[in-house]
Amino acid sequence: MINPLSIQKNAVVYSLLLILAYVITGKLGLMLALPPGYASAIFPPAGIAIAAVFVAGRTVLPAIFLGSFLLNILVGYSAGHQVKMTDVEVALLIAVASALQAYLGGWWLKHKIHYPTTLDSPVDVVTFFISAPVICLISATISVTGLLSLGLIEKSLFFTSWASWWIGDTLGLIVMLPLTLVAIGKPRAIWKKRSLTIAVPMLITFALLIITFVVVSRWERKESLVEFDALSNQISEQLRVRFESQEAVIGQTSALFSYRASEKVTRQDFYHFVSAIKRESPMTFAIEWAPKVTHRERASYVKQLSKEFQDFEIKQLDAQRKLVVSSDKDFYFPITYIVPLKESTRAILGVDLASLPDRKDAIQRAISLKAAIASPPTRLIINDGTELGLMLIYPIHGTSQDGVLSAVLRANIFFGELFKPFAHTVHVRLTDVESGKYLYNNFADNQIDSLYTRDFRFGGRYYRLDTLPTAQYYQQHRGWQSWNMLAVGLFGTGLMGALLLIGTGYTARIENLVKQKTEELKDSFYRFQEITSTLGEGIYVTDINGVITFTNPKAQDLLGRSESELLGQNAHSLFHHRPIEGSSHTERECLISNVIHSKQPYKSTEEVFWHKNGSPIYVSVNSVPFFRNNEIIGTLVVFDDISDRKKIEFALRASEKSFKEIIEYAPIGIAIVSLDGRFTVVNQTLCNIVGYTNDELIRRTFQEITYPDDLSLDLEHVQRLLDGEIDTYRMEKRYIRKDNVPVWVQLSASIFRDENLTPQYFIAQIEDISERKIRDNEVHQHAYFDTLTKLPNRRMLMEKLSQALSQSEHHQRKFALFFLDLDHFKQINDTLGHDTGDIILKEAASRLLSCVRSSDTVSRLGGDEFVIILNDVSSAHDAQLLAEKILNNFSEPIDVNGSELFIGTSIGIAVHDGDTKTTIRELMKRADSAMYESKASGRNRYSFYTST
Ligand SMILES: Nc1nc2c(ncn2[C@@H]2O[C@H](COP(=O)(O)OP(=O)(O)OP(=O)(O)O)[C@@H](O)[C@H]2O)c(=O)[nH]1
């Protein structure tokens, strides 16, 4: 919690400090001012004040006002030792101007350069530098105009005063703002740091500058006073001459008395003689003769003088300095002769010189020393009695009358006339050393010390001549070099400050940036290290020369080398210089290292690195170039141990090889068939089965080489496989060999699906079953067909009969069963031989077949017996037609080895009408019995079974 009381207390302390700083730096600044006036090359408080407003705002204005006021009062006080009303007015005026300037300047800077500021950007610093002289126009203009209107500076000095004021404030601001900010500015950390980098160099430069300025300005002042010294000497010399001239005047006058030693010097004599001398010495106000008159002689003396001057009396000054008749004294020195004698001097005739103590003293000394003695500065009796002057008194003794001569000198005239021509350039002060009284003084009130002093002895007294250059002299002889040097130097100091601000700001920023970046880098390095240390992949970083600069623990582990064994080594030479087989490759040929040159990432699924123990490590590698500012600076290589994968690969390759071999050498045909039916992999056995070479076969589809009759069933199965209804199927089918011969095979097919159960391809196993088919056919033939005639045998007949019977019953269709027995066949056999008999039998079978439709069945029951199933018989008539056709056919002779033979057949016909109760056996029996009927009826005929 902030204590409001402590804030107030702080505010008071800060205000006091600001006032103190203002007054002290102001006083110091003014000490550098060139006389006359306020022309200081630097006025630090102006800068402090503006900086204070810039930092703290307008709350500091009262302190600035007070500081300025006190400073100017102090200046006025030290000048005059007492504060006059004008001093107060000036101080108030300047305080208002200073506070206004500080307020507007601080506000403007705050507006342009936001506070808190590090004041280090060139834009801010230039803004400050441009703003400073503009801001400082305020106080200079207001204050100097004020001083002019108060009559404190001459019109002619206005511009130089204004300019030096303005420059002083500007330089004060330029120099002090950075220093003030160093002292109290925020951000504190930055400004505090700058006390060494900015404040110290600036203050040292500042101090050196001031020392140089003081030395140079002293020298310059000395130079400027050369003329003053000459003038002072001139004045002094003239004064000496003038003093001596008065001694001469009095000496010449005394000669009159020596010359007329025995006679009385008459007024006439005196007038004539002294008037000539007086003409030669116009600065002498009057030359007087005052005889010594004793009290006893007083009456006669007065009486005698009264003849010339009515109401003559010996007079003296009373307490009010009024001339009254002298009181009685032992003796008197009444002024008797006076040149010039005019209205103003006539009044002092009769005045007893000895009635005034200082003059009496001089008279006595003159008489005793017998020399010209000057009186102390004294108020002359002439005019209103206020005028200062002195008298040079010379004793006359041993002549007709004793007395004193006195030369009266009016200070204003006597010295003024002398000093007047120098008045513009030199202040003169002439002091009577003994009394300390000034005979002449045109020094200013506040000037005490002189620059030139000379002592004189005149009339037995000591006088001191002091001279001092006037403001005008200074004005005319002012050497601006030192001031200019100081101003330029201060500007340079400010400029140096500015450069230091920019420089230190830049340095601080860079330092901070470096610090921050270092932290970030450290952070990111630790993070990087942390991440990389936990990674399953090996990582190493190389510089542009392929030298390792970083490795992670996994890389060290995989390569079997410690970090120190890896760092600083060339990665390629150390563990990637040769492949498993073949000769070593150079780093330039190495694709991982070549990333440096190609500037493109390189990815390899398989590379070989070498373990320290000499064993190969199979790795996948990702080599990425590192760039900084578009310049490649190295590579980051991430590698992963793929030994496990490699083992599996080897195993797979081996198993694939075995698998291929198995397929290749399998005794059955094996094929991988794409989903659209194309053979993609086939083995030799399959090629052999279908008569195509491997290349020919894999250009074909199974559809192309499937026997057309078998295709639909095959495709049906395939569809069911694809639909997932079945996993495998088996079928016997035929392919068409390359030579167009169908070949029977047994196909076993399955489908391969990926992990998403999406069908990928078919796997087909194909077995050549041609031989089995033939065998089966033969067996079938034997089982169901008669070997001799190739007609269906009894077994087949029975099956066919069964079918016919069921179909007949099902469809309510009729069929007819013919039972045939060749007539007298035994006889043929017996006479012509068994072979002939066989021929007859085959011919009979052939003729029977030629009489029926393909849908009918002709079978040999055995011996010379045949049975025909005549399907779809609409009536007995159909059977009758066939019977007749057969008989007719049999009527044709049979050619056996060139001999014509005739054979007849007896036919028995049983027509089945769909009666479900009738069995095969019954039916056969009926046909058989009908046949017997035909035999019995004479053979070579047909009979229908009748139930009677
Ligand atoms: N050549 C030959 N003769 C056979 C074969 N099978 C049976 N036979 C003879 O066929 C003759 C059949 O005679 P039968 O039908 O009994 O007598 P048939 O001479 O035909 O007189 P009918 O039937 O009364 O006209 C027998 O002599 C059998 O030996 C055969 O496969 N080949």
Side-chain angles (χ1 to χ4, degrees):
M1 173 118 178
I2 301 162
N3 183 354
L5 273 178
S6 75
I7 291 177
Q8 279 181 6
K9 200 174 154 191
N10 281 344
V12 171
V13 171
Y14 289 140
S15 295
L16 286 175
L17 283 174
L18 181 56
I19 293 168
L20 208 62
Y22 200 104
V23 173
I24 291 172
T25 58
K27 185 70 189 154
L28 290 172
L30 290 174
M31 280 166 75
L32 298 174
L34 284 185
Y38 296 91
S40 175
I42 181 167
F43 190 64
I48 293 174
I50 294 166
V53 176
F54 178 60
V55 170
R58 57 185 167 196
T59 50
V60 297
L61 286 176
I64 292 167
F65 180 85
L66 265 174
S68 174
F69 180 76
L70 288 176
L71 172 68
N72 286 289
I73 288 289
L74 191 70
V75 169
Y77 172 76
S78 38
H81 292 279
Q82 56 179 2
V83 179
K84 290 181 285 185
M85 194 55 212
T86 326
D87 294 330
V88 176
E89 283 171 11
V90 168
L92 278 174
L93 169 78
I94 297 175
V96 167
S98 304
L100 182 67
Q101 174 171 283
Y103 174 62
L104 292 176
W107 169 83
W108 171 255
L109 290 179
K110 212 166 192 171
H111 175 67
K112 297 304 277 182
I113 308 161
H114 300 283
Y115 184 80
T117 177
T118 49
L119 197 60
D120 53 8
S121 78
V123 172
D124 284 351
V125 172
V126 168
T127 304
F128 166 59
F129 253 70
I130 292 172
S131 302
V134 179
I135 291 166
C136 294
L137 290 171
I138 300 167
S139 175
T141 307
I142 297 174
S143 303
V144 178
T145 308
L147 287 174
L148 180 73
S149 58
L150 286 170
L152 291 173
I153 53 168
E154 291 168 32
K155 218 171 186 177
S156 62
L157 293 178
F158 177 82
F159 181 73
T160 47
S161 299
W162 175 85
S164 60
W165 191 296
W166 171 60
I167 291 170
D169 275 13
T170 303
L171 293 176
L173 175 55
I174 287 174
V175 172
M176 292 312 291
L177 186 116
L179 294 176
T180 309
L181 286 174
V182 166
I184 58 167
K186 285 178 184 172
R188 203 64 215 112
I190 300 256
W191 284 109
K192 206 172 170 184
K193 239 182 174 180
R194 284 170 158 177
S195 46
L196 271 183
T197 52
I198 291 181
V200 170
M202 278 185 83
L203 287 172
I204 289 174
T205 314
F206 190 58
L208 289 174
L209 208 57
I210 298 302
I211 292 167
T212 315
F213 170 73
V214 169
V215 171
V216 173
S217 64
R218 267 191 196 163
W219 168 80
E220 197 176 65
R221 195 177 164 85
K222 213 169 151 190
E223 282 291 298
S224 76
L225 291 176
V226 167
E227 195 182 325
F228 164 76
D229 284 344
L231 285 172
S232 297
N233 275 329
Q234 199 182 332
I235 292 167
S236 147
E237 202 52 33
Q238 287 183 10
L239 183 63
R240 187 185 61 78
V241 169
R242 186 153 293 194
F243 275 138
E244 282 175 0
S245 75
Q246 292 314 299
E247 282 173 343
V249 163
I250 209 87
Q252 284 169 11
T253 308
S254 72
L256 176 64
F257 288 85
S258 314
Y259 177 67
R260 298 265 181 116
S262 54
E263 296 171 40
K264 192 183 174 198
V265 175
T266 65
R267 181 174 303 278
Q268 200 101 28
D269 294 339
F270 188 83
Y271 182 77
H272 284 297
F273 190 83
V274 173
S275 290
I277 295 169
K278 173 78 173 61
R279 268 198 299 276
E280 292 300 311
S281 178
M283 286 79 64
T284 313
F285 175 64
I287 302 169
E288 301 160 347
W289 161 247
K292 184 177 180 181
V293 178
T294 58
H295 186 63
R296 191 165 47 86
E297 295 163 345
R298 177 175 177 167
S300 66
Y301 171 77
V302 168
K303 191 178 173 186
Q304 191 176 342
L305 264 292
S306 296
K307 290 176 193 165
E308 290 178 73
F309 304 102
Q310 204 179 349
D311 303 328
F312 181 85
E313 279 294 345
I314 293 178
K315 290 173 259 184
Q316 66 174 42
L317 282 173
D318 68 3
Q320 283 78 42
R321 291 185 66 83
K322 281 183 76 179
L323 284 173
V324 292
V325 176
S326 173
S327 55
D328 290 350
K329 288 173 187 161
D330 291 346
F331 55 87
Y332 310 89
F333 284 91
I335 296 168
T336 309
Y337 301 156
I338 185 163
V339 173
L341 183 67
K342 46 187 179 182
E343 194 58 38
S344 58
T345 55
R346 189 182 290 269
I348 59 169
L349 279 172
V351 172
D352 177 15
L353 283 178
S355 67
L356 299 165
D358 49 354
R359 288 169 213 190
K360 187 180 178 182
D361 185 49
I363 289 167
Q364 280 171 350
R365 281 178 68 201
I367 290 168
S368 68
L369 292 171
K370 295 187 179 72
I373 293 296
S375 71
T378 181
R379 284 161 72 182
L380 297 177
I381 306 164
I382 52 156
N383 298 336
D384 54 359
T386 56
E387 198 171 330
L388 199 68
L390 61 85
M391 303 174 82
L392 187 64
I393 292 169
Y394 188 79
I396 300 294
H397 182 67
T399 59
S400 60
Q401 190 169 5
D402 288 349
V404 291
L405 286 171
S406 70
V408 181
L409 306 176
R410 289 170 72 187
N412 264 341
I413 305 287
F414 186 80
F415 300 112
E417 290 293 316
L418 176 62
F419 301 140
K420 205 174 274 172
F422 305 99
H424 289 300
T425 47
V426 185
H427 291 299
V428 179
R429 185 169 62 205
L430 186 65
T431 317
D432 173 71
V433 176
E434 203 176 310
S435 66
K437 282 184 181 170
Y438 298 139
L439 281 164
Y440 185 87
N441 182 15
N442 73 344
F443 272 44
D445 288 349
N446 56 351
Q447 290 166 331
I448 299 154
D449 301 325
S450 65
L451 281 180
Y452 179 94
T453 301
R454 188 153 170 194
D455 290 336
F456 292 91
R457 191 174 161 81
F458 169 65
R461 296 185 75 87
Y462 288 98
Y463 297 92
R464 174 171 294 152
L465 175 73
D466 289 310
T467 58
L468 193 67
T470 62
Q472 198 173 342
Y473 179 89
Y474 279 126
Q475 183 65 25
Q476 285 166 357
H477 295 81
R478 176 177 280 165
W480 283 96
Q481 287 91 333
S482 61
W483 194 91
N484 288 342
M485 183 213 77
L486 182 62
V488 170
L490 287 169
F491 184 76
T493 310
L495 207 60
M496 180 182 81
L499 291 176
L500 288 173
L501 281 171
I502 295 172
T504 55
Y506 180 74
T507 310
R509 269 208 306 275
I510 294 294
E511 267 177 20
N512 274 345
L513 208 64
V514 166
K515 206 169 155 189
Q516 187 192 335
K517 289 287 167 197
T518 308
E519 283 304 316
E520 281 175 16
L521 213 62
K522 254 191 214 166
D523 244 32
S524 83
F525 180 72
Y526 288 143
R527 254 203 317 276
F528 180 69
Q529 229 178 12
E530 217 170 275
I531 293 166
T532 53
S533 67
T534 55
L535 278 183
E537 284 97 357
I539 294 173
Y540 67 86
V541 176
T542 74
D543 65 12
I544 196 160
N545 299 313
V547 172
I548 300 169
T549 55
F550 172 83
T551 60
N552 74 338
K554 185 67 181 179
Q556 297 151 20
D557 181 40
L558 288 174
L559 294 166
R561 294 171 194 271
S562 69
E563 188 176 25
S564 59
E565 286 174 316
L566 290 167
L567 293 182
Q569 299 294 317
N570 182 286
H572 177 79
S573 313
L574 195 64
F575 52 76
H576 188 234
H577 52 289
R578 64 187 168 92
I580 285 276
E581 285 163 1
S583 56
S584 301
H585 49 273
T586 64
E587 191 175 1
R588 185 74 211 207
E589 294 163 336
C590 168
L591 293 172
I592 298 173
S593 308
N594 197 44
V595 163
I596 293 280
H597 304 285
S598 71
K599 297 178 182 170
Q600 297 295 323
Y602 169 69
K603 200 168 184 172
S604 169
T605 51
E606 189 179 322
E607 292 284 338
V608 171
F609 284 176
W610 293 94
H611 192 275
K612 190 183 177 185
N613 65 15
S615 59
I617 315 154
Y618 288 96
V619 288
S620 64
V621 174
N622 209 343
S623 180
V624 185
F626 253 124
F627 292 95
R628 187 169 298 155
N629 300 331
N630 293 328
E631 279 289 315
I632 188 151
I633 56 157
T635 57
L636 167 73
V637 181
V638 180
F639 62 100
D640 196 9
D641 182 11
I642 56 162
S643 305
D644 290 344
R645 193 186 86 193
K646 207 60 194 162
K647 273 182 206 156
I648 293 167
E649 234 174 68
F650 280 134
L652 264 177
R653 213 172 286 164
S655 84
E656 196 179 327
K657 195 179 168 202
S658 318
F659 179 69
K660 270 191 179 156
E661 278 173 4
I662 289 166
I663 289 178
E664 194 56 39
Y665 301 114
I668 57 166
I670 294 174
I672 305 289
V673 180
S674 67
L675 295 180
D676 60 355
R678 192 163 299 279
F679 290 104
T680 53
V681 177
V682 293
N683 67 351
Q684 191 53 43
T685 309
L686 181 59
C687 293
N688 294 341
I689 291 171
V690 292
Y692 288 105
T693 65
N694 192 301
D695 288 346
E696 288 167 340
L697 193 52
I698 58 173
R699 285 202 298 270
R700 288 176 163 75
T701 62
F702 78 86
Q703 295 92 325
E704 284 175 69
I705 63 162
T706 296
Y707 192 74
D709 290 354
D710 300 337
L711 187 58
S712 59
L713 181 61
D714 201 353
L715 291 175
E716 216 173 278
H717 287 312
V718 164
Q719 193 55 52
R720 292 180 69 200
L721 267 186
L722 287 170
D723 293 346
E725 290 176 28
I726 51 171
D727 293 330
T728 57
Y729 71 88
R730 262 167 100 98
M731 71 177 285
E732 288 180 357
K733 61 177 275 187
R734 281 160 292 181
Y735 286 132
I736 307 161
R737 287 173 53 94
K738 190 182 176 185
D739 56 10
N740 277 326
V741 176
V743 55
W744 276 101
V745 294
Q746 175 161 289
L747 168 70
S748 299
S750 58
I751 190 163
F752 180 82
R753 294 170 189 275
D754 65 10
E755 62 275 16
N756 300 320
L757 299 178
T758 308
Q760 299 297 309
Y761 52 83
F762 302 109
I763 303 161
Q765 293 178 48
I766 299 117
E767 196 178 353
D768 185 349
I769 54 167
S770 311
E771 285 180 11
R772 197 193 81 201
K773 268 288 177 192
I774 292 166
R775 272 202 314 278
D776 285 356
N777 210 23
E778 281 174 356
V779 169
H780 185 262
Q781 206 67 16
H782 276 114
Y784 291 94
F785 293 88
D786 170 45
T787 322
L788 182 67
T789 61
K790 309 294 183 199
L791 290 176
N793 61 10
R794 174 185 284 272
R795 184 189 281 176
M796 178 74 107
L797 175 67
M798 288 304 131
E799 282 182 14
K800 293 275 184 185
L801 253 180
S802 172
Q803 286 172 14
L805 205 62
S806 65
Q807 280 187 2
S808 166
E809 285 165 7
H810 190 69
H811 300 293
Q812 288 298 303
R813 286 186 198 150
K814 293 178 179 172
F815 74 90
L817 188 68
F818 284 55
F819 202 110
L820 298 97
D821 188 298
L822 299 182
D823 295 337
H824 303 303
F825 182 68
K826 189 173 181 299
Q827 203 174 340
I828 288 171
N829 257 347
D830 291 348
T831 55
L832 299 173
H834 202 84
D835 291 342
T836 304
D838 284 351
I839 291 167
I840 297 297
L841 283 172
K842 283 199 257 186
E843 181 58 23
S846 170
R847 289 189 182 187
L848 286 174
L849 278 173
S850 69
C851 293
V852 299
R853 299 163 302 185
S854 60
S855 57
D856 300 333
T857 302
V858 179
S859 67
R860 183 184 173 208
L861 208 56
D864 61 347
E865 292 173 346
F866 297 90
V867 173
I868 295 171
I869 303 165
L870 184 64
N871 289 313
D872 294 329
V873 173
S874 50
S875 65
H877 180 68
D878 291 343
Q880 186 184 343
L881 286 176
L882 177 63
E884 284 169 359
K885 189 179 177 182
I886 291 168
L887 289 176
N888 189 40
N889 208 323
F890 271 69
S891 63
E892 293 295 317
I894 300 163
D895 180 26
V896 181
N897 302 326
S899 309
E900 283 189 343
L901 291 173
F902 292 93
I903 187 81
T905 182
S906 300
I907 303 167
I909 303 166
V911 177
H912 180 67
D913 55 3
D915 181 5
T916 54
K917 290 171 194 155
T918 311
T919 64
I920 291 171
R921 186 183 171 88
E922 181 61 33
L923 209 53
M924 284 293 285
K925 210 169 147 185
R926 286 178 187 171
D928 184 52
S929 102
M931 188 277 288
Y932 274 105
E933 180 60 35
S934 296
K935 286 277 185 197
S937 311
R939 295 187 169 81
N940 202 29
R941 66 189 62 224
Y942 63 88
S943 305
F944 281 94
Y945 164 76
T946 52
S947 53
T948 53

